[in-house]
Structures are given as C-alpha cells and as structure tokens.
PDB file of all heavy atoms in Angstrom:
ATOM      1  N   ASP L 289       0.845  -1.260  -0.002  1.00  0.00           N
ATOM      2  CA  ASP L 289      -0.013   0.016  -0.001  1.00  0.00           C
ATOM      3  C   ASP L 289       0.861   1.273   0.009  1.00  0.00           C
ATOM      4  O   ASP L 289       0.350   2.346   0.233  1.00  0.00           O
ATOM      5  CB  ASP L 289      -0.997  -0.023   1.139  1.00  0.00           C
ATOM      6  CG  ASP L 289      -1.948  -1.113   1.097  1.00  0.00           C
ATOM      7  OD1 ASP L 289      -2.468  -1.458  -0.026  1.00  0.00           O
ATOM      8  OD2 ASP L 289      -2.329  -1.588   2.170  1.00  0.00           O
ATOM      9  N   ALA L 290       2.152   1.174  -0.298  1.00  0.00           N
ATOM     10  CA  ALA L 290       3.033   2.351  -0.276  1.00  0.00           C
ATOM     11  C   ALA L 290       2.895   2.948  -1.683  1.00  0.00           C
ATOM     12  O   ALA L 290       2.999   2.266  -2.692  1.00  0.00           O
ATOM     13  CB  ALA L 290       4.449   1.981   0.106  1.00  0.00           C
ATOM     14  N   ASN L 291       2.893   4.373  -1.786  1.00  0.00           N
ATOM     15  CA  ASN L 291       3.117   4.979  -3.097  1.00  0.00           C
ATOM     16  C   ASN L 291       4.447   5.682  -3.071  1.00  0.00           C
ATOM     17  O   ASN L 291       4.849   6.273  -4.077  1.00  0.00           O
ATOM     18  CB  ASN L 291       2.019   5.980  -3.398  1.00  0.00           C
ATOM     19  CG  ASN L 291       1.766   7.063  -2.289  1.00  0.00           C
ATOM     20  OD1 ASN L 291       2.760   7.343  -1.503  1.00  0.00           O
ATOM     21  ND2 ASN L 291       0.625   7.665  -2.253  1.00  0.00           N
ATOM     22  N   SER L 292       5.248   5.440  -1.981  1.00  0.00           N
ATOM     23  CA  SER L 292       6.582   5.945  -1.967  1.00  0.00           C
ATOM     24  C   SER L 292       7.464   5.173  -1.067  1.00  0.00           C
ATOM     25  O   SER L 292       7.136   4.806  -0.010  1.00  0.00           O
ATOM     26  CB  SER L 292       6.596   7.454  -1.366  1.00  0.00           C
ATOM     27  OG  SER L 292       7.888   7.822  -1.112  1.00  0.00           O
ATOM     28  N   LEU L 293       8.568   4.629  -1.632  1.00  0.00           N
ATOM     29  CA  LEU L 293       9.536   3.849  -0.859  1.00  0.00           C
ATOM     30  C   LEU L 293      10.848   4.533  -0.987  1.00  0.00           C
ATOM     31  O   LEU L 293      11.461   4.672  -2.047  1.00  0.00           O
ATOM     32  CB  LEU L 293       9.627   2.367  -1.440  1.00  0.00           C
ATOM     33  CG  LEU L 293       8.354   1.562  -1.266  1.00  0.00           C
ATOM     34  CD1 LEU L 293       8.617   0.240  -2.027  1.00  0.00           C
ATOM     35  CD2 LEU L 293       8.262   1.213   0.193  1.00  0.00           C
ATOM     36  N   ARG L 294      11.453   5.021   0.066  1.00  0.00           N
ATOM     37  CA  ARG L 294      12.678   5.710   0.198  1.00  0.00           C
ATOM     38  C   ARG L 294      13.757   5.057   1.003  1.00  0.00           C
ATOM     39  O   ARG L 294      13.354   4.787   2.191  1.00  0.00           O
ATOM     40  CB  ARG L 294      12.539   7.150   0.575  1.00  0.00           C
ATOM     41  CG  ARG L 294      11.482   8.043  -0.163  1.00  0.00           C
ATOM     42  CD  ARG L 294      11.886   8.313  -1.446  1.00  0.00           C
ATOM     43  NE  ARG L 294      13.069   9.172  -1.655  1.00  0.00           N
ATOM     44  CZ  ARG L 294      13.574   9.520  -2.766  1.00  0.00           C
ATOM     45  NH1 ARG L 294      13.021   9.186  -3.931  1.00  0.00           N
ATOM     46  NH2 ARG L 294      14.693  10.368  -2.820  1.00  0.00           N
ATOM     47  N   LEU L 295      14.888   4.764   0.571  1.00  0.00           N
ATOM     48  CA  LEU L 295      16.009   4.257   1.325  1.00  0.00           C
ATOM     49  C   LEU L 295      16.708   5.433   1.864  1.00  0.00           C
ATOM     50  O   LEU L 295      17.162   6.354   1.231  1.00  0.00           O
ATOM     51  CB  LEU L 295      16.990   3.401   0.484  1.00  0.00           C
ATOM     52  CG  LEU L 295      18.287   3.071   1.182  1.00  0.00           C
ATOM     53  CD1 LEU L 295      17.987   2.085   2.353  1.00  0.00           C
ATOM     54  CD2 LEU L 295      19.221   2.382   0.216  1.00  0.00           C
ATOM     55  N   ARG L 296      16.740   5.568   3.225  1.00  0.00           N
ATOM     56  CA  ARG L 296      17.327   6.742   4.017  1.00  0.00           C
ATOM     57  C   ARG L 296      18.593   6.157   4.700  1.00  0.00           C
ATOM     58  O   ARG L 296      18.632   5.084   5.070  1.00  0.00           O
ATOM     59  CB  ARG L 296      16.342   7.237   5.020  1.00  0.00           C
ATOM     60  CG  ARG L 296      15.004   7.588   4.366  1.00  0.00           C
ATOM     61  CD  ARG L 296      13.918   8.009   5.415  1.00  0.00           C
ATOM     62  NE  ARG L 296      13.861   7.329   6.600  1.00  0.00           N
ATOM     63  CZ  ARG L 296      13.991   7.830   7.828  1.00  0.00           C
ATOM     64  NH1 ARG L 296      13.969   9.094   7.949  1.00  0.00           N
ATOM     65  NH2 ARG L 296      13.902   7.122   8.898  1.00  0.00           N
ATOM     66  N   TRP L 297      19.542   7.062   4.816  1.00  0.00           N
ATOM     67  CA  TRP L 297      20.786   6.755   5.562  1.00  0.00           C
ATOM     68  C   TRP L 297      21.336   7.886   6.308  1.00  0.00           C
ATOM     69  O   TRP L 297      21.196   9.007   5.991  1.00  0.00           O
ATOM     70  CB  TRP L 297      21.830   6.040   4.629  1.00  0.00           C
ATOM     71  CG  TRP L 297      22.485   6.915   3.580  1.00  0.00           C
ATOM     72  CD1 TRP L 297      23.606   7.562   3.674  1.00  0.00           C
ATOM     73  CD2 TRP L 297      21.980   7.180   2.273  1.00  0.00           C
ATOM     74  NE1 TRP L 297      23.920   8.212   2.520  1.00  0.00           N
ATOM     75  CE2 TRP L 297      22.977   7.985   1.638  1.00  0.00           C
ATOM     76  CE3 TRP L 297      20.900   6.805   1.663  1.00  0.00           C
ATOM     77  CZ2 TRP L 297      22.786   8.405   0.274  1.00  0.00           C
ATOM     78  CZ3 TRP L 297      20.762   7.257   0.208  1.00  0.00           C
ATOM     79  CH2 TRP L 297      21.705   7.987  -0.401  1.00  0.00           C
ATOM     80  N   GLN L 298      22.195   7.538   7.204  1.00  0.00           N
ATOM     81  CA  GLN L 298      22.873   8.493   8.094  1.00  0.00           C
ATOM     82  C   GLN L 298      24.285   8.009   8.323  1.00  0.00           C
ATOM     83  O   GLN L 298      24.467   6.807   8.709  1.00  0.00           O
ATOM     84  CB  GLN L 298      22.187   8.524   9.504  1.00  0.00           C
ATOM     85  CG  GLN L 298      22.930   9.324  10.501  1.00  0.00           C
ATOM     86  CD  GLN L 298      22.233   9.217  11.853  1.00  0.00           C
ATOM     87  OE1 GLN L 298      21.392   8.348  12.110  1.00  0.00           O
ATOM     88  NE2 GLN L 298      22.687  10.046  12.740  1.00  0.00           N
ATOM     89  N   VAL L 299      25.288   8.866   8.125  1.00  0.00           N
ATOM     90  CA  VAL L 299      26.674   8.507   8.463  1.00  0.00           C
ATOM     91  C   VAL L 299      26.838   8.888   9.933  1.00  0.00           C
ATOM     92  O   VAL L 299      26.793  10.091  10.295  1.00  0.00           O
ATOM     93  CB  VAL L 299      27.645   9.216   7.574  1.00  0.00           C
ATOM     94  CG1 VAL L 299      29.171   8.842   7.984  1.00  0.00           C
ATOM     95  CG2 VAL L 299      27.432   8.787   6.117  1.00  0.00           C
ATOM     96  N   VAL L 300      27.132   7.896  10.785  1.00  0.00           N
ATOM     97  CA  VAL L 300      27.173   8.144  12.204  1.00  0.00           C
ATOM     98  C   VAL L 300      28.415   9.072  12.544  1.00  0.00           C
ATOM     99  O   VAL L 300      29.517   8.891  11.941  1.00  0.00           O
ATOM    100  CB  VAL L 300      27.334   6.853  12.922  1.00  0.00           C
ATOM    101  CG1 VAL L 300      27.536   6.978  14.453  1.00  0.00           C
ATOM    102  CG2 VAL L 300      26.085   5.918  12.754  1.00  0.00           C
ATOM    103  N   GLY L 301      28.240  10.068  13.324  1.00  0.00           N
ATOM    104  CA  GLY L 301      29.321  10.990  13.636  1.00  0.00           C
ATOM    105  C   GLY L 301      29.441  12.150  12.597  1.00  0.00           C
ATOM    106  O   GLY L 301      30.202  13.022  12.811  1.00  0.00           O
ATOM    107  N   VAL L 302      28.703  12.092  11.519  1.00  0.00           N
ATOM    108  CA  VAL L 302      28.783  13.073  10.452  1.00  0.00           C
ATOM    109  C   VAL L 302      27.376  13.735  10.344  1.00  0.00           C
ATOM    110  O   VAL L 302      27.234  15.000  10.296  1.00  0.00           O
ATOM    111  CB  VAL L 302      29.257  12.529   9.113  1.00  0.00           C
ATOM    112  CG1 VAL L 302      29.151  13.585   7.998  1.00  0.00           C
ATOM    113  CG2 VAL L 302      30.690  11.918   9.240  1.00  0.00           C
ATOM    114  N   ASP L 303      26.364  12.931  10.152  1.00  0.00           N
ATOM    115  CA  ASP L 303      25.009  13.452   9.959  1.00  0.00           C
ATOM    116  C   ASP L 303      24.250  13.504  11.172  1.00  0.00           C
ATOM    117  O   ASP L 303      24.257  12.479  11.912  1.00  0.00           O
ATOM    118  CB  ASP L 303      24.247  12.548   8.882  1.00  0.00           C
ATOM    119  CG  ASP L 303      25.011  12.536   7.625  1.00  0.00           C
ATOM    120  OD1 ASP L 303      25.524  13.564   7.107  1.00  0.00           O
ATOM    121  OD2 ASP L 303      24.991  11.380   6.973  1.00  0.00           O
ATOM    122  N   PRO L 304      23.401  14.567  11.469  1.00  0.00           N
ATOM    123  CA  PRO L 304      22.659  14.534  12.696  1.00  0.00           C
ATOM    124  C   PRO L 304      21.428  13.562  12.697  1.00  0.00           C
ATOM    125  O   PRO L 304      20.873  13.221  13.714  1.00  0.00           O
ATOM    126  CB  PRO L 304      22.190  15.930  12.818  1.00  0.00           C
ATOM    127  CG  PRO L 304      22.262  16.535  11.472  1.00  0.00           C
ATOM    128  CD  PRO L 304      23.352  15.761  10.778  1.00  0.00           C
ATOM    129  N   GLY L 305      21.000  13.118  11.437  1.00  0.00           N
ATOM    130  CA  GLY L 305      19.886  12.269  11.323  1.00  0.00           C
ATOM    131  C   GLY L 305      19.914  11.641   9.932  1.00  0.00           C
ATOM    132  O   GLY L 305      20.941  11.639   9.252  1.00  0.00           O
ATOM    133  N   PHE L 306      18.843  11.052   9.542  1.00  0.00           N
ATOM    134  CA  PHE L 306      18.753  10.411   8.238  1.00  0.00           C
ATOM    135  C   PHE L 306      18.619  11.494   7.116  1.00  0.00           C
ATOM    136  O   PHE L 306      17.559  11.779   6.646  1.00  0.00           O
ATOM    137  CB  PHE L 306      17.580   9.460   8.265  1.00  0.00           C
ATOM    138  CG  PHE L 306      17.800   8.212   9.017  1.00  0.00           C
ATOM    139  CD1 PHE L 306      17.419   8.064  10.237  1.00  0.00           C
ATOM    140  CD2 PHE L 306      18.358   7.084   8.361  1.00  0.00           C
ATOM    141  CE1 PHE L 306      17.690   6.926  10.953  1.00  0.00           C
ATOM    142  CE2 PHE L 306      18.657   5.989   8.971  1.00  0.00           C
ATOM    143  CZ  PHE L 306      18.219   5.854  10.319  1.00  0.00           C
ATOM    144  N   ASP L 307      19.759  12.214   6.925  1.00  0.00           N
ATOM    145  CA  ASP L 307      19.731  13.307   6.026  1.00  0.00           C
ATOM    146  C   ASP L 307      19.724  12.941   4.532  1.00  0.00           C
ATOM    147  O   ASP L 307      19.837  13.849   3.718  1.00  0.00           O
ATOM    148  CB  ASP L 307      21.016  14.174   6.298  1.00  0.00           C
ATOM    149  CG  ASP L 307      20.864  14.798   7.674  1.00  0.00           C
ATOM    150  OD1 ASP L 307      19.766  14.817   8.299  1.00  0.00           O
ATOM    151  OD2 ASP L 307      21.871  15.274   8.215  1.00  0.00           O
ATOM    152  N   HIS L 308      20.023  11.641   4.158  1.00  0.00           N
ATOM    153  CA  HIS L 308      20.142  11.275   2.799  1.00  0.00           C
ATOM    154  C   HIS L 308      18.999  10.314   2.444  1.00  0.00           C
ATOM    155  O   HIS L 308      18.672   9.448   3.224  1.00  0.00           O
ATOM    156  CB  HIS L 308      21.472  10.616   2.515  1.00  0.00           C
ATOM    157  CG  HIS L 308      22.625  11.499   3.038  1.00  0.00           C
ATOM    158  ND1 HIS L 308      23.176  12.589   2.397  1.00  0.00           N
ATOM    159  CD2 HIS L 308      23.255  11.375   4.238  1.00  0.00           C
ATOM    160  CE1 HIS L 308      24.116  13.096   3.142  1.00  0.00           C
ATOM    161  NE2 HIS L 308      24.197  12.361   4.244  1.00  0.00           N
ATOM    162  N   ASP L 309      18.599  10.325   1.252  1.00  0.00           N
ATOM    163  CA  ASP L 309      17.557   9.350   0.751  1.00  0.00           C
ATOM    164  C   ASP L 309      17.581   9.255  -0.719  1.00  0.00           C
ATOM    165  O   ASP L 309      18.021  10.089  -1.481  1.00  0.00           O
ATOM    166  CB  ASP L 309      16.159   9.643   1.302  1.00  0.00           C
ATOM    167  CG  ASP L 309      15.570  10.709   0.549  1.00  0.00           C
ATOM    168  OD1 ASP L 309      16.180  11.788   0.392  1.00  0.00           O
ATOM    169  OD2 ASP L 309      14.296  10.733   0.346  1.00  0.00           O
ATOM    170  N   VAL L 310      17.167   8.001  -1.208  1.00  0.00           N
ATOM    171  CA  VAL L 310      17.060   7.756  -2.695  1.00  0.00           C
ATOM    172  C   VAL L 310      15.847   6.774  -2.800  1.00  0.00           C
ATOM    173  O   VAL L 310      15.435   6.084  -1.905  1.00  0.00           O
ATOM    174  CB  VAL L 310      18.353   7.112  -3.185  1.00  0.00           C
ATOM    175  CG1 VAL L 310      18.619   5.801  -2.477  1.00  0.00           C
ATOM    176  CG2 VAL L 310      18.432   7.094  -4.669  1.00  0.00           C
ATOM    177  N   ALA L 311      15.316   6.784  -3.953  1.00  0.00           N
ATOM    178  CA  ALA L 311      14.204   5.891  -4.368  1.00  0.00           C
ATOM    179  C   ALA L 311      14.732   4.434  -4.195  1.00  0.00           C
ATOM    180  O   ALA L 311      15.765   4.144  -4.528  1.00  0.00           O
ATOM    181  CB  ALA L 311      13.611   6.061  -5.653  1.00  0.00           C
ATOM    182  N   VAL L 312      13.795   3.609  -3.571  1.00  0.00           N
ATOM    183  CA  VAL L 312      14.144   2.112  -3.466  1.00  0.00           C
ATOM    184  C   VAL L 312      14.086   1.446  -4.829  1.00  0.00           C
ATOM    185  O   VAL L 312      13.119   1.641  -5.513  1.00  0.00           O
ATOM    186  CB  VAL L 312      13.165   1.438  -2.420  1.00  0.00           C
ATOM    187  CG1 VAL L 312      13.216  -0.073  -2.563  1.00  0.00           C
ATOM    188  CG2 VAL L 312      13.496   1.936  -1.071  1.00  0.00           C
ATOM    189  N   ASN L 313      14.987   0.611  -5.154  1.00  0.00           N
ATOM    190  CA  ASN L 313      15.011  -0.288  -6.151  1.00  0.00           C
ATOM    191  C   ASN L 313      14.818  -1.768  -5.689  1.00  0.00           C
ATOM    192  O   ASN L 313      15.741  -2.292  -5.076  1.00  0.00           O
ATOM    193  CB  ASN L 313      16.292  -0.315  -7.033  1.00  0.00           C
ATOM    194  CG  ASN L 313      16.273  -1.195  -8.232  1.00  0.00           C
ATOM    195  OD1 ASN L 313      15.461  -2.085  -8.313  1.00  0.00           O
ATOM    196  ND2 ASN L 313      17.193  -0.936  -9.147  1.00  0.00           N
ATOM    197  N   LEU L 314      13.565  -2.251  -5.723  1.00  0.00           N
ATOM    198  CA  LEU L 314      13.243  -3.488  -5.116  1.00  0.00           C
ATOM    199  C   LEU L 314      14.134  -4.646  -5.532  1.00  0.00           C
ATOM    200  O   LEU L 314      14.260  -5.624  -4.831  1.00  0.00           O
ATOM    201  CB  LEU L 314      11.810  -3.832  -5.307  1.00  0.00           C
ATOM    202  CG  LEU L 314      10.821  -3.022  -4.582  1.00  0.00           C
ATOM    203  CD1 LEU L 314       9.383  -3.188  -4.962  1.00  0.00           C
ATOM    204  CD2 LEU L 314      10.983  -3.020  -3.068  1.00  0.00           C
ATOM    205  N   ALA L 315      14.794  -4.605  -6.672  1.00  0.00           N
ATOM    206  CA  ALA L 315      15.686  -5.617  -7.202  1.00  0.00           C
ATOM    207  C   ALA L 315      17.030  -5.595  -6.479  1.00  0.00           C
ATOM    208  O   ALA L 315      17.777  -6.510  -6.591  1.00  0.00           O
ATOM    209  CB  ALA L 315      15.828  -5.432  -8.769  1.00  0.00           C
ATOM    210  N   GLY L 316      17.291  -4.509  -5.677  1.00  0.00           N
ATOM    211  CA  GLY L 316      18.601  -4.297  -4.970  1.00  0.00           C
ATOM    212  C   GLY L 316      19.207  -3.102  -5.577  1.00  0.00           C
ATOM    213  O   GLY L 316      19.000  -2.638  -6.605  1.00  0.00           O
ATOM    214  N   GLN L 317      20.141  -2.532  -4.706  1.00  0.00           N
ATOM    215  CA  GLN L 317      20.815  -1.360  -5.205  1.00  0.00           C
ATOM    216  C   GLN L 317      22.159  -1.221  -4.399  1.00  0.00           C
ATOM    217  O   GLN L 317      22.355  -1.826  -3.419  1.00  0.00           O
ATOM    218  CB  GLN L 317      19.958  -0.171  -5.090  1.00  0.00           C
ATOM    219  CG  GLN L 317      19.552   0.149  -3.626  1.00  0.00           C
ATOM    220  CD  GLN L 317      18.257   1.119  -3.650  1.00  0.00           C
ATOM    221  OE1 GLN L 317      17.191   0.670  -3.286  1.00  0.00           O
ATOM    222  NE2 GLN L 317      18.441   2.294  -4.128  1.00  0.00           N
ATOM    223  N   THR L 318      23.067  -0.319  -4.960  1.00  0.00           N
ATOM    224  CA  THR L 318      24.265  -0.074  -4.305  1.00  0.00           C
ATOM    225  C   THR L 318      24.446   1.458  -4.011  1.00  0.00           C
ATOM    226  O   THR L 318      24.156   2.221  -4.911  1.00  0.00           O
ATOM    227  CB  THR L 318      25.441  -0.499  -5.235  1.00  0.00           C
ATOM    228  OG1 THR L 318      25.257  -1.916  -5.426  1.00  0.00           O
ATOM    229  CG2 THR L 318      26.746  -0.280  -4.603  1.00  0.00           C
ATOM    230  N   LEU L 319      24.643   1.816  -2.742  1.00  0.00           N
ATOM    231  CA  LEU L 319      25.050   3.104  -2.447  1.00  0.00           C
ATOM    232  C   LEU L 319      26.537   3.340  -2.530  1.00  0.00           C
ATOM    233  O   LEU L 319      27.365   2.427  -2.192  1.00  0.00           O
ATOM    234  CB  LEU L 319      24.650   3.527  -0.982  1.00  0.00           C
ATOM    235  CG  LEU L 319      23.190   3.396  -0.678  1.00  0.00           C
ATOM    236  CD1 LEU L 319      22.877   3.657   0.728  1.00  0.00           C
ATOM    237  CD2 LEU L 319      22.316   4.451  -1.574  1.00  0.00           C
ATOM    238  N   THR L 320      26.977   4.558  -3.085  1.00  0.00           N
ATOM    239  CA  THR L 320      28.490   4.792  -3.300  1.00  0.00           C
ATOM    240  C   THR L 320      28.779   6.112  -2.567  1.00  0.00           C
ATOM    241  O   THR L 320      27.949   6.832  -2.180  1.00  0.00           O
ATOM    242  CB  THR L 320      28.753   4.863  -4.792  1.00  0.00           C
ATOM    243  OG1 THR L 320      28.004   5.952  -5.355  1.00  0.00           O
ATOM    244  CG2 THR L 320      28.352   3.545  -5.490  1.00  0.00           C
ATOM    245  N   GLY L 321      30.049   6.391  -2.581  1.00  0.00           N
ATOM    246  CA  GLY L 321      30.703   7.590  -2.119  1.00  0.00           C
ATOM    247  C   GLY L 321      31.050   7.605  -0.674  1.00  0.00           C
ATOM    248  O   GLY L 321      31.275   8.820  -0.197  1.00  0.00           O
ATOM    249  N   PHE L 322      31.066   6.528   0.073  1.00  0.00           N
ATOM    250  CA  PHE L 322      31.507   6.529   1.357  1.00  0.00           C
ATOM    251  C   PHE L 322      33.008   6.330   1.512  1.00  0.00           C
ATOM    252  O   PHE L 322      33.602   5.833   0.597  1.00  0.00           O
ATOM    253  CB  PHE L 322      30.741   5.433   2.159  1.00  0.00           C
ATOM    254  CG  PHE L 322      29.257   5.495   2.078  1.00  0.00           C
ATOM    255  CD1 PHE L 322      28.567   4.647   1.234  1.00  0.00           C
ATOM    256  CD2 PHE L 322      28.658   6.394   3.020  1.00  0.00           C
ATOM    257  CE1 PHE L 322      27.154   4.831   1.211  1.00  0.00           C
ATOM    258  CE2 PHE L 322      27.288   6.445   2.991  1.00  0.00           C
ATOM    259  CZ  PHE L 322      26.494   5.676   2.043  1.00  0.00           C
ATOM    260  N   THR L 323      33.508   6.826   2.642  1.00  0.00           N
ATOM    261  CA  THR L 323      34.931   6.512   2.906  1.00  0.00           C
ATOM    262  C   THR L 323      35.081   5.317   3.784  1.00  0.00           C
ATOM    263  O   THR L 323      34.103   4.903   4.487  1.00  0.00           O
ATOM    264  CB  THR L 323      35.626   7.718   3.514  1.00  0.00           C
ATOM    265  OG1 THR L 323      34.956   8.067   4.746  1.00  0.00           O
ATOM    266  CG2 THR L 323      35.537   9.018   2.632  1.00  0.00           C
ATOM    267  N   PRO L 324      36.289   4.669   3.801  1.00  0.00           N
ATOM    268  CA  PRO L 324      36.486   3.506   4.582  1.00  0.00           C
ATOM    269  C   PRO L 324      36.199   3.699   6.129  1.00  0.00           C
ATOM    270  O   PRO L 324      36.465   4.826   6.552  1.00  0.00           O
ATOM    271  CB  PRO L 324      37.937   3.008   4.346  1.00  0.00           C
ATOM    272  CG  PRO L 324      38.139   3.669   3.013  1.00  0.00           C
ATOM    273  CD  PRO L 324      37.399   5.038   2.933  1.00  0.00           C
ATOM    274  N   ALA L 325      35.745   2.784   6.752  1.00  0.00           N
ATOM    275  CA  ALA L 325      35.531   2.827   8.186  1.00  0.00           C
ATOM    276  C   ALA L 325      34.407   3.675   8.692  1.00  0.00           C
ATOM    277  O   ALA L 325      34.423   4.019   9.828  1.00  0.00           O
ATOM    278  CB  ALA L 325      36.856   3.101   9.033  1.00  0.00           C
TER     279      ALA L 325
END
C-alpha cells in the first residue's frame, strides 16, 4: 500500500539524522561515495 519507498541513511558522527535518501529499487541497489571505516 506504499506509493513512496525511500532508502534513507545516516553516516554516524557526520550526519545529525537520516539526512540522505534515494528511491528504493526492489531488485537491490548499491550506495556509493562513502569513505572506509
């Protein structure tokens, strides 16, 4: 019954909350642009 599915993320120690989001791809997806650790 959803008309919107958003993957939300927060980098601990950097973001105060779930400041980033992208539309969900139900087949699976890859997030990029993070630094190690």
